[in-house]
Amino acid sequence: MALSLQNGGGDRSLETFGQSHYGVSNESLKYVFRGYSADKQYGIYVQVPIHAANLPSVPPAMDFNSQEVFDYNQKMAESMNALTNADFTPDLGLLDALVASIYVETP
């Protein structure tokens, strides 16, 4: 999702980080913003741990089966797409407002 800053902009996403194949959970979910100042001289990166109302705290136990993990993650992604900003902790709208308030002062 594209977001504008006071003097720049970028994209916000929800991402998970881990090694190998793993099921998504609140343990690995992050709010991530990547952007640039308006003059493209400065990069802006924001990462905040976030929890979704419909995700388990830790990934479920699964065999090391790529298709099983893929199917589970696809199901979780579809269910997350139905959530509102308030279904996340912290609220996505509040995090977006925080990012939008960033002002990059250049020397």
Side-chain angles (χ1 to χ4, degrees), residues 1 3 12-14 29-32 50-51 80 83-99:
M1 176 178 158
L3 291 177
R12 178 262 277 174
S13 61
L14 298 179
L29 189 63
K30 307 283 188 257
Y31 170 102
V32 177
I50 192 163
H51 289 163
M80 286 179 61
L83 298 178
T84 67
N85 286 351
D87 291 324
F88 293 89
T89 305
D91 184 301
L92 287 179
L94 294 175
L95 291 173
D96 290 345
L98 173 72
V99 168

Side-chain angles (χ1 to χ4, degrees), residues 50-67:
I50 192 163
H51 289 163
N54 66 330
L55 288 182
S57 295
V58 296
M62 288 186 261
D63 292 330
F64 190 73
N65 175 320
S66 297
Q67 190 61 47

Side-chain angles (χ1 to χ4, degrees), residues 66-76:
S66 297
Q67 190 61 47
E68 180 183 13
V69 173
F70 176 81
D71 292 343
Y72 168 80
N73 286 342
Q74 187 172 32
K75 179 182 168 188
M76 291 296 99

